[in-house]
Amino acid sequence: MDMIETGLEHKFCRADQILEVKDGVSIEGYASLFGQVDRGNDLVERGAYTASLKSLIKAGRRVRMLWQHDPSEPIGVWDEVREDSNGLYVKGRLLPEVGRAREAAALLEAGAIEGLSIGYRTIKAVKDDGGRRRLQELELWEVSLVTFPMLPEARVGAKGDIPDDGLLRDLAAVIDDARRNLAQGRTD
């Protein structure tokens, strides 16, 4: 396996959940999924973000929320960014005081966009026998809302104002069933 080093890169996923909250629109989902080969033939391995997230916490900094990877267009804040057994989970808020964030909220609500994308620098990667690049350590810079996700398997489930917890539970059950069916290769 060959070692690869590159500059800033972007990977695209779909957001998992969009909820209206008093201080803006809350969004949550997986910005990256472990073990999934994306359209660029890359695969992020478990633990790839560990060192970067620890470094950010130690420095008192956060992962930025941008619009379409544009550093001049921050649109909100990520309140939670963590690795779990599935991938890189993010939860944050679009800030209603920011014009582009209001536009992003409207586009999310309408279903015109649903993508999440990571901006990072590769620290350590190897090519496997299948020609895939296995990303082993990444320096995470930002997670953006985007139009076209590179990894469409990481998805958003609910959106809008959800006053009824029963409705949210029902919607979550439908989404979980769909994900299980997709994981098993079923499309019915």
Side-chain angles (χ1 to χ4, degrees):
M1 293 191 200
D2 299 324
M3 183 68 84
I4 302 169
E5 291 191 15
T6 63
L8 180 64
E9 300 179 51
H10 303 103
K11 291 293 172 208
F12 304 89
C13 296
R14 290 168 48 141
D16 272 345
Q17 201 167 41
I18 305 165
L19 305 169
E20 284 287 333
V21 294
K22 287 182 183 177
D23 57 350
V25 174
S26 176
I27 56 175
E28 62 183 281
Y30 285 92
S32 174
L33 292 171
F34 297 138
Q36 300 277 336
V37 178
D38 69 17
R39 293 178 185 156
N41 207 28
D42 288 344
L43 178 147
V44 178
E45 293 186 352
R46 278 194 179 131
Y49 302 102
T50 302
S52 181
L53 294 175
K54 284 180 182 177
S55 176
L56 285 168
I57 290 168
K58 185 177 179 180
R61 296 183 325 200
R62 19 169 101 191
V63 174
R64 303 296 181 211
M65 181 191 293
L66 302 178
W67 173 251
Q68 306 282 358
H69 296 295
D70 186 340
S72 69
E73 296 220 49
I75 57 173
V77 293
W78 294 116
D79 297 313
E80 184 178 354
V81 179
R82 63 176 163 79
E83 282 185 305
D84 65 18
S85 61
N86 295 315
L88 183 69
Y89 172 82
V90 295
K91 183 176 182 178
R93 295 169 282 127
L94 294 171
L95 300 177
E97 300 83 6
V98 177
R100 180 67 78 192
R102 289 191 304 274
E103 292 173 18
L107 291 167
L108 285 163
E109 181 68 28
I113 64 167
E114 58 190 0
L116 287 176
S117 173
I118 57 174
Y120 63 94
R121 183 173 68 90
T122 302
I123 304 298
K124 183 178 178 187
V126 295
K127 284 260 187 175
D128 66 17
D129 294 337
R132 285 180 298 272
R133 190 169 65 140
R134 301 180 70 85
L135 305 174
Q136 298 175 325
E137 186 179 348
L138 303 173
E139 179 184 1
L140 183 63
W141 291 6
E142 52 96 4
V143 176
S144 287
L145 288 175
V146 297
T147 307
F148 297 107
M150 185 73 114
L151 183 64
E153 292 82 5
R155 307 177 72 136
V156 177
K159 55 186 162 185
D161 194 20
I162 304 176
D164 178 4
D165 287 343
L167 177 62
L168 180 58
R169 279 192 300 276
D170 292 345
L171 182 57
V174 168
I175 293 165
D176 287 344
D177 286 344
R179 285 184 178 154
R180 275 193 294 278
N181 287 340
L182 284 172
Q184 296 170 357
R186 295 182 15 213
T187 58
D188 55 347

